[in-house]
Amino acid sequence: MNVDNLKTIEQMEAFLTGSQAIAFAVATNKGERYGFVEKILRRFHYGALKRAHKGIVIRFLGKTTGYSRQQLTRMIERFMKLGELKPSHKAVNGFERVYTPEDIQLLAKLDQRHETPNGCRVKKLCERAHESFAESGYERLATISVAHIYNLRKSRTYQKQRVHYEKTKSPKGVLIGERRKPQSDGKPGYIRIDTVHQGDLDGSKGVYHINAVDEVTQFEMVISVEKISEHYLIPALETLLAAFPFKILNFHSDNGSEYINKTVAKLLGKLLIEFTKSRPRTSNDNALAEGKNAAVVRKILGYTHIPQKYAEKINVFNFEALNPYINYHRPCLYPTLTVDVKGKQKKKYEYKNMMTPYEKFKSLPDAEHYLTEEMTFAKLDDIAKTMTDNEAADFLQQQRKALFKTIHEDCLKVA
């Protein structure tokens, strides 16, 4: 390889850009290539070069030797550490092989006959085969250690001998729900759902709250059940979905088994509702529902254990006080999406975009198009104007106080 004309980094860069003609050929011998790399590194004092100049040297070596950048990086590290560069040679195994492929095949046949016993039993069988029954071929296996039996079982020769045939199985189980983030495109009806557990006490489970929030309008419905089994959950979901004033188009949950099952999938299929679930390692897929769990459910109902038998009384409170308040009298902030020069979306929350979920729903273009068949804005306006925000808040506090008082008194009677 003729590189005598290359004396400076500028000349090397010119060669790479093709502005300077030079004759070169890639050596086929590994030792010659290593020697050429070492020669260039020494000539240009690679260790003292600037970062940009080091990059030019690596590009030059990659073009002339055919080595990848990763390989060259390893070679340069070895040169900087040892001061020289020579091809490394694979270590030769100096241990003599004791057990031949025939011995391993004999072991595989013995395992097959005896249904793969443990190592101690295999060693004893080999000893008996050689000493008691004088079977040929077991001389070496009769002296094998128990631990090395398991080593031989991992060998390729053994694995080829012991072949197991099984019926072809489906690579995946029954797929329930599509694992992706739903795209609402500004349409209501894309709800996020999550479950809130009201604590345990002395091994007794508390009531469960099912919290469903619309992605666009933040319209929210809370319903409580004694248990999250099919007997309680399916009727609750039917009531919950029917309580929204607009058509439900998408049902998104986390990967909890209370929702990811055939019964829920059948219910949503019957209602023609798309079923999606959260993606792995993507914690914000269901963040809206989880945020409402803390800001609404926990804030109103707390963390204290509530026995399961009070689920029906809590539901009366939910539909008479809680749900009307959070949808018609509790303002929420709504984000404004902006896209920067790099195409990244950013959400900005401004005071001017603060309104109740019902007001947000009513402000959507063609909002009437999304209403259910039996619902009208006249009916919804009547609900919204039944009480003022303060009156609705007072009613919520009164009903919550009465509910907790009833539960507390009943618990004292039982105690």
Side-chain angles (χ1 to χ4, degrees):
M1 184 176 294
N2 184 12
V3 292
D4 293 337
N5 294 332
L6 293 178
K7 303 294 184 182
T8 65
I9 294 293
E10 289 73 17
Q11 291 176 333
M12 184 178 289
E13 187 175 17
F15 163 72
L16 292 173
T17 56
S19 60
Q20 177 177 333
I22 185 170
F24 71 95
V26 177
T28 56
N29 184 277
K30 184 177 180 180
E32 292 181 4
R33 285 206 234 183
Y34 271 63
F36 172 73
V37 173
E38 182 179 355
K39 178 181 177 182
I40 295 297
L41 295 177
R42 290 186 184 280
R43 177 186 297 180
F44 289 91
H45 305 286
Y46 181 86
L49 292 177
K50 296 180 180 179
R51 182 177 182 139
H53 293 169
K54 288 180 178 179
I56 295 174
V57 173
I58 293 175
R59 285 169 51 205
F60 171 78
L61 291 174
K63 187 170 183 178
T64 53
T65 63
Y67 287 129
S68 67
R69 188 179 185 89
Q70 293 79 3
Q71 175 67 11
L72 286 169
T73 301
R74 290 192 292 268
M75 293 168 67
I76 292 172
E77 288 179 356
R78 196 186 315 164
F79 171 78
M80 298 300 295
K81 183 178 180 180
L82 303 177
E84 60 179 0
L85 187 62
K86 294 182 180 180
S88 59
H89 300 282
K90 293 184 179 179
V92 178
N93 187 1
F95 296 99
E96 183 180 356
R97 189 170 186 174
V98 177
Y99 301 99
T100 64
E102 290 76 16
D103 293 332
I104 299 175
Q105 292 175 4
L106 195 61
L107 174 64
K109 289 180 181 179
L110 186 143
D111 279 349
Q112 190 169 8
R113 289 191 185 105
H114 297 273
E115 299 294 335
T116 316
N118 60 56
C120 292
R121 187 171 299 168
V122 170
K123 178 176 173 61
K124 177 58 69 174
L125 288 171
C126 291
E127 290 177 355
R128 287 169 56 81
H130 173 60
E131 298 172 2
S132 301
F133 302 102
E135 294 185 44
S136 61
Y138 285 94
E139 295 85 356
R140 286 180 294 273
L141 288 176
T143 60
I144 194 172
S145 68
V146 173
H148 199 56
I149 291 173
Y150 294 98
N151 293 335
L152 295 183
R153 283 176 173 175
K154 296 176 185 178
S155 66
R156 185 175 299 178
T157 304
Y158 183 94
Q159 295 295 334
K160 286 182 179 180
Q161 191 74 15
R162 295 294 306 278
V163 180
H164 298 274
Y165 296 95
E166 295 183 359
K167 184 178 179 181
T168 303
K169 298 180 181 179
S170 174
K172 295 182 179 179
V174 178
L175 297 178
I176 299 176
E178 186 177 352
R179 196 181 294 279
R180 65 175 174 83
K181 182 180 180 180
Q183 300 296 330
S184 63
D185 296 326
K187 301 177 183 178
Y190 286 74
I191 64 170
R192 308 295 178 90
I193 195 163
D194 200 15
T195 304
V196 182
H197 183 215
Q198 198 68 39
D200 297 338
L201 180 65
D202 298 331
S204 176
K205 292 287 184 182
V207 70
Y208 292 88
H209 309 294
I210 301 172
N211 187 24
V213 189
D214 179 64
E215 179 182 352
V216 174
T217 65
Q218 296 188 37
F219 217 93
E220 183 176 3
M221 289 292 170
V222 180
I223 192 170
S224 303
V225 294
E226 292 185 30
K227 301 176 181 178
I228 52 175
S229 62
E230 177 183 331
H231 175 74
Y232 296 95
L233 189 62
I234 298 304
L237 288 178
E238 291 176 341
T239 303
L240 187 74
L241 296 173
F244 283 91
F246 41 77
K247 302 170 186 175
I248 303 301
L249 305 175
N250 175 268
F251 182 99
H252 184 88
S253 72
D254 56 17
N255 293 277
S257 59
E258 67 267 32
Y259 301 117
I260 309 302
N261 57 69
K262 294 182 180 179
T263 307
V264 174
K266 182 178 179 181
L267 170 65
L268 298 177
K270 184 175 66 175
L271 299 175
L272 302 179
I273 298 174
E274 184 184 38
F275 191 8
T276 58
K277 57 187 177 182
S278 297
R279 299 165 292 175
R281 297 177 297 279
T282 310
S283 59
N284 63 347
D285 274 4
N286 211 29
L288 179 60
E290 293 170 355
K292 293 290 186 178
N293 290 346
V296 176
V297 180
R298 289 301 189 190
K299 197 168 187 178
I300 301 298
L301 296 172
Y303 294 84
T304 306
H305 170 77
I306 300 177
Q308 294 176 336
K309 63 180 180 179
Y310 296 107
E312 187 175 346
K313 291 184 178 180
I314 297 174
N315 267 334
V316 174
F317 166 76
N318 290 339
F319 284 90
E320 289 185 356
L322 179 59
N323 291 339
Y325 170 74
I326 59 181
N327 291 315
Y328 298 97
H329 304 285
R330 182 179 181 272
C332 303
L333 280 169
Y334 294 87
T336 301
L337 286 177
T338 58
V339 182
D340 59 17
V341 293
K342 296 182 179 180
K344 184 178 180 180
Q345 288 187 346
K346 293 185 178 180
K347 292 182 179 181
K348 187 177 182 180
Y349 293 87
E350 299 177 321
Y351 179 79
K352 64 180 181 180
N353 291 332
M354 196 170 197
M355 62 189 86
T356 65
Y358 174 59
E359 290 173 340
K360 177 64 176 178
F361 172 46
K362 200 173 180 180
S363 68
L364 296 177
D366 301 323
E368 296 85 357
H369 175 72
Y370 303 109
L371 288 170
T372 57
E373 295 179 358
E374 67 279 359
M375 189 58 65
T376 63
F377 276 118
K379 294 180 180 179
L380 294 175
D381 286 338
D382 290 340
I383 298 173
K385 296 176 182 178
T386 301
M387 290 185 283
T388 66
D389 293 346
N390 289 334
E391 289 173 345
D394 289 340
F395 182 71
L396 175 70
Q397 297 297 338
Q398 292 169 4
Q399 294 299 310
R400 182 176 67 167
K401 185 176 180 180
L403 173 66
F404 287 167
K405 182 179 179 181
T406 301
I407 295 174
H408 180 66
E409 290 176 349
D410 288 351
C411 290
L412 289 178
K413 291 178 182 178
V414 174

